[in-house]
Amino acid sequence: MFYNFVKYVVGFFLKLIYPYRVENFPKLEDGAYIVVANHKSYLDPLILSILFPRQIHWMAKRELFDNPILRAILNGVGAIPVDRENNDAKSVMRAMRILKEGNVLGIFPEGTRVKEANYGAGKKGTVLLASRTGTEILPIYIRDAYKPFRRQVFVFRDPVVFEKKKLTDEEYERMGRALLHTIYEGGSYIGNLAE
């Protein structure tokens, strides 16, 4: 499987160049999860896929699929193209199908690489998928910038549990912002509402 080739072969060399430490890794059960993280580098999905024990189907901006070589790689690892400028119902349906099949979905809620936290940039799509499918979110904080041969730290925050229910647009927006607070600072949710 191409995903395993990338994970173990490419991952072996990446771990030599970019060693890492994982903190607070949760006990995982069978079933679907949504892995979310702040987005520092194009290396993020690669390293997170290496350290996570199950395959992650990453949602990736559609523009990356314009390059035929990159498109073949992304398709090979099960990535989902997303049109960030328009309501992309097709990618949402694919993501929901992955979750309903008990698989792991990966999302960067900020939608692009960022150097510093901007809580207003939290997109509602992650919360929408979690609440529509009742899927648990695993937030991860990527602590530092990547520097060769310098250890990077990945901190798992407490999982965020969602009931399967439809929310209002205002709730999706508010909870999307609250999710970024959880990623960057920790914190918790009460049911579907942020403290």
Side-chain angles (χ1 to χ4, degrees):
M1 183 183 214
F2 184 69
Y3 185 91
N4 287 333
F5 171 81
V6 172
K7 181 180 175 80
Y8 295 109
V9 178
V10 177
F12 173 79
F13 294 102
L14 276 177
K15 282 191 283 188
L16 292 177
I17 300 169
Y18 299 103
Y20 61 82
R21 184 176 82 243
V22 179
E23 296 180 0
N24 197 34
F25 194 92
K27 182 179 179 181
L28 299 177
E29 300 179 359
D30 292 338
Y33 291 96
I34 301 175
V35 171
V36 299
N38 56 312
H39 198 6
K40 286 186 172 287
S41 165
Y42 66 90
L43 290 171
D44 294 337
L46 286 169
I47 303 293
L48 288 171
S49 294
I50 291 164
L51 68 86
F52 202 78
R54 294 171 58 191
Q55 179 174 356
I56 301 175
H57 297 267
W58 289 101
M59 299 193 82
K61 61 182 181 180
R62 187 175 300 280
E63 294 83 353
L64 295 175
F65 290 77
D66 292 341
N67 180 302
I69 295 173
L70 193 52
R71 179 173 61 241
I73 293 170
L74 290 168
N75 286 332
V77 297
I80 301 170
V82 179
D83 183 348
R84 298 181 300 172
E85 303 302 320
N86 302 294
N87 288 331
D88 191 347
K90 185 176 179 182
S91 67
V92 171
M93 294 304 294
R94 282 187 64 185
M96 290 180 71
R97 186 165 62 248
I98 284 169
L99 295 173
K100 287 177 180 177
E101 290 171 354
N103 296 310
V104 179
L105 185 70
I107 301 175
F108 296 104
E110 292 156 308
T112 189
R113 294 188 301 277
V114 296
K115 292 182 179 178
E116 296 179 358
N118 175 5
Y119 299 118
K123 311 293 184 191
K124 65 180 183 179
T126 305
V127 174
L128 184 146
L129 287 167
S131 61
R132 290 283 181 90
T133 60
T135 303
E136 192 169 310
I137 293 178
L138 300 178
I140 304 169
Y141 175 52
I142 302 171
R143 184 175 291 169
D144 305 303
Y146 293 89
K147 294 182 180 177
F149 310 110
R150 187 134 346 142
R151 192 175 301 279
Q152 172 64 290
V153 179
F154 296 86
V155 182
F156 278 78
R157 305 300 193 187
D158 291 338
V160 180
V161 179
F162 277 85
E163 297 175 11
K164 187 175 180 180
K165 64 188 286 189
K166 187 173 181 179
L167 305 173
T168 66
D169 282 343
E170 182 181 314
E171 288 174 314
Y172 287 131
E173 296 284 353
R174 177 169 52 81
M175 293 171 66
R177 292 190 298 271
L179 182 59
L180 283 186
H181 279 276
T182 298
I183 291 170
Y184 280 98
E185 301 170 15
S188 63
Y189 280 63
I190 300 174
N192 283 347
L193 301 176
E195 287 183 346

